[in-house]
Amino acid sequence: MNTTIYTAYIWNGITNDASILYSVSIILFVRLLNHLCFLYLFSPFTLFLNSARDKVAACAKHFVGDGGTTRGINENNTVIDVHGLLSMYMPAYSYSVIKGVSTIMVSYSSWNGEKMHANHELITGFLKNTLKFKGFVISDWQGIDRITSPPHLNYTYSVQAAIQAGIDMVMVPFNHTEFVDDLTYLVNSKVIPMDRIDDAVERILLVKFTMGLFENPFADFSLVHELGSQAHRDLAREAVRKSLVLLKNGKGGTTPLLPLSKKASKILVAGTHADNLGYQCGGWTINWQGFSGNNYTRGTTILGAINSTVDPSTEIVYRENPDADFVKSNNFDYAIVAVGEPPYAETAGDSTTLTMMDPGPSVITNVCGAVKCVVVIISGRPIVIEPYVSTIDALVAAWLPGTEGQGVIDALYGDYGFSGKLPRTWFKTVDQLPMNVEDSHYDPLFPLGFGLKTDSVASIVSRSTSAAALEGPCLFILIITISLSFYFTGKIPIY
């Protein structure tokens, strides 16, 4: 598959560069048009309204509060009062509605014990009546089944509760006839009023007419040549390097390790994530839970990027899991270690330990205990790294860089400087979680907004050259002044 996988959306915000975020959003919009004429994107996005065949109906999701579930567990319960819910979790939806979002997907999660898929107060009362949302509300995949526990225990009740709550379109991936039969029964029995059905149909048709789906029901393939184009890859590469966060550069008082030398004699590249596009991309890539390896899409791994960056005379040795004796016996100039999390999506990503995948810890110990090393963390969130920081010379949070691993290496070797800042606190231990800046016991490993800033090698050289150029005339004037003073007075002036 020839397509560009961009660095994960949540981390693009680190760039503090609105132009990059806008460009990535537009390119994704154009790219997705080649696959579907109606789809949803990750929230919140605006509805594009242009000519009939270049529109995307955006979806804000997952309504509402799914980011605040107890212990962060997927599909869990968000315990918070109305004020907290409206002030912390509702603004993104309010803004999306104002900007014209056309669909909103409901969350699997609950609010104070009530399933969101059955919450009339928030779906109809607040979203539709207070925020004046005119698009349609859609369930999540088998979302109404989960209204009961266990799921699908009383499906007729689930259909009734979801439709009366205000859900307009139901995602039924398998047995749709059961849904149709139950809904028909509930309407004919006057349990669900016909005006509720009319409201749902009107909302769905409004979006479809606005999209032009009746005039042009199929996708436009005229832009298919844009898929995986160099322009898209260049933009993704820029987004990657601007999203990197440099957390450490040099052990206490020592010379910074970064930028690395391109003309080293012999270097080691190690770690589970050094040569794995699937791990760079994370979940929801090609497959639901992502993939491992380099066979499903085109791109550049960390190792591949190093090969194309260093001097041809540099010997590159790659070992995914080298032992300490191997590292000590090879006289490496430095090592690049890439470790982190495996791909995951939804419940598969739930973790009470937030540790990196094995053998990541032993790779760091074996390598960084024997040679100067930079460790690149590939993960969708902060993970436990505090036990290893003292042995590491340089530490970089690369998040999920997607297919363009060259963006990581651009910064490691100083072609560009580091500028990213942490968008969230990096904890020391999971026992500290949840942790927020305003907490009285706030004691992070790296605080919110932290990130070391560096300049590119080119800018450093330019400044040095400029300084030298300025020093030349000053030295000449000083010599002339001393000479003239000695000629006329016989004394050398002291400055």
Side-chain angles (χ1 to χ4, degrees):
M1 182 175 291
N2 179 27
T3 189
T4 307
I5 309 299
Y6 288 83
T7 179
Y9 271 114
I10 188 172
W11 307 121
N12 277 342
I14 305 167
T15 67
N16 297 313
D17 188 336
S19 64
I20 290 293
L21 303 183
Y22 177 79
S23 298
V24 169
S25 299
I26 292 299
I27 282 183
L28 286 175
F29 161 63
V30 172
R31 188 182 78 188
L32 289 165
L33 287 173
N34 294 290
H35 298 285
L36 299 169
C37 51
F38 175 77
L39 58 132
Y40 60 82
L41 300 176
F42 297 103
S43 71
F45 274 75
T46 58
L47 175 64
F48 293 87
L49 296 172
N50 294 311
S51 61
R53 302 193 71 182
D54 61 353
K55 301 173 189 172
V56 169
C59 182
K61 54 191 287 193
H62 297 87
F63 186 83
V64 58
D66 66 331
T69 58
T70 301
R71 303 188 71 190
I73 296 173
N74 188 46
E75 302 185 25
N76 206 358
N77 187 33
T78 299
V79 179
I80 194 170
D81 61 20
V82 174
H83 174 75
L85 185 79
L86 297 183
S87 62
M88 186 176 299
Y89 299 108
M90 197 63 74
Y93 295 96
S94 176
Y95 181 75
S96 296
V97 171
I98 291 171
K99 300 299 288 186
V101 72
S102 57
T103 74
I104 291 178
M105 184 178 290
V106 180
S107 175
Y108 286 128
S109 61
S110 304
W111 175 45
N112 294 335
E114 181 178 359
K115 288 286 187 178
M116 278 304 310
H117 274 75
N119 195 309
H120 180 274
E121 177 187 357
L122 289 177
I123 296 174
T124 296
F126 193 84
L127 180 61
K128 291 183 174 181
N129 294 341
T130 301
L131 295 184
K132 306 299 180 183
F133 173 59
K134 301 301 181 185
F136 65 83
V137 177
I138 185 170
S139 79
D140 208 329
W141 174 282
Q142 290 187 307
I144 70 170
D145 299 55
R146 288 166 164 82
I147 290 175
T148 59
S149 182
H152 209 84
L153 179 66
N154 185 341
Y155 193 64
T156 303
Y157 166 74
S158 294
V159 172
Q160 175 187 337
I163 301 303
Q164 288 182 328
I167 292 177
D168 304 303
M169 180 180 285
V170 180
M171 201 185 306
V172 184
F174 304 116
N175 190 4
H176 68 279
T177 57
E178 181 184 22
F179 171 79
V180 172
D181 290 345
D182 281 351
L183 181 58
T184 301
Y185 166 77
L186 290 167
V187 172
N188 288 338
S189 302
K190 302 188 185 307
V191 175
I192 295 177
M194 195 63 199
D195 60 2
R196 171 76 270 271
I197 303 301
D198 291 341
D199 173 62
V201 172
E202 288 171 4
R203 289 171 177 273
I204 293 169
L205 289 178
L206 174 63
V207 173
K208 289 189 174 183
F209 275 118
T210 303
M211 293 284 292
L213 289 182
F214 292 99
E215 295 83 1
N216 296 287
F218 301 109
D220 182 358
F221 290 95
S222 65
L223 299 174
V224 71
H225 65 280
E226 296 287 347
L227 286 172
S229 68
Q230 192 57 49
H232 289 192
R233 294 187 183 280
D234 290 343
L235 178 63
R237 178 175 171 179
E238 182 181 359
V240 168
R241 63 175 177 257
K242 288 187 174 181
S243 295
L244 301 173
V245 181
L246 180 59
L247 300 173
K248 182 180 181 181
N249 191 17
K251 294 178 180 177
T254 63
T255 303
L257 179 61
L258 304 180
L260 299 171
S261 170
K262 295 181 180 180
K263 294 187 176 182
S265 174
K266 186 178 184 181
I267 66 174
L268 172 65
V269 181
T272 50
H273 291 59
D275 190 32
N276 197 309
L277 279 179
Y279 287 179
Q280 287 180 196
C281 293
W284 282 112
T285 304
I286 311 300
N287 299 310
W288 176 36
Q289 295 295 333
F291 64 95
S292 176
N294 303 323
N295 296 326
Y296 290 89
T297 189
R298 286 178 50 204
T300 307
T301 65
I302 302 293
L303 177 62
I306 294 169
N307 276 306
S308 65
T309 299
V310 299
D311 190 83
S313 65
T314 299
E315 180 183 356
I316 302 171
V317 177
Y318 169 60
R319 292 287 189 281
E320 182 174 318
N321 184 21
D323 59 44
D325 291 337
F326 173 82
V327 180
K328 293 175 183 176
S329 63
N330 270 275
N331 196 31
F332 295 111
D333 291 280
Y334 57 79
I336 299 174
V337 177
V339 292
E341 294 185 299
Y344 55 79
E346 301 184 34
T347 302
D350 286 347
S351 173
T352 57
T353 59
L354 294 176
T355 53
M356 70 180 70
M357 65 182 291
D358 287 326
S362 62
V363 173
I364 293 175
T365 300
N366 292 343
V367 175
C368 298
V371 65
K372 289 183 178 179
C373 74
V374 52
V375 173
V376 179
I377 303 294
I378 308 292
S379 67
R381 57 199 169 189
I383 58 176
V384 175
I385 57 173
E386 192 271 340
Y388 325 112
V389 171
S390 61
T391 63
I392 296 170
D393 293 275
L395 179 63
V396 177
W399 314 114
L400 299 175
T403 55
E404 305 313 301
Q406 188 69 53
V408 177
I409 303 307
D410 286 342
L412 292 188
Y413 282 93
D415 292 330
Y416 295 85
F418 286 90
S419 60
K421 305 294 181 183
L422 287 180
R424 61 183 304 165
T425 296
W426 201 300
F427 57 86
K428 291 179 180 177
T429 69
V430 292
D431 295 335
Q432 296 177 299
L433 300 176
M435 177 186 287
N436 296 294
V437 175
E438 63 271 15
D439 293 344
S440 59
H441 58 277
Y442 189 68
D443 181 30
L445 182 61
F446 300 106
L448 174 72
F450 179 82
L452 301 176
K453 183 177 174 59
T454 66
D455 293 318
S456 67
V457 171
S459 64
I460 294 172
V461 171
S462 176
R463 283 201 306 272
S464 299
T465 304
S466 300
L470 290 173
E471 289 173 1
C474 294
L475 180 60
F476 176 76
I477 293 170
L478 179 61
I479 292 172
I480 294 298
T481 302
I482 293 174
S483 300
L484 290 173
S485 177
F486 183 75
Y487 178 80
F488 289 110
T489 67
K491 298 180 179 179
I492 297 178
I494 298 175
Y495 295 91

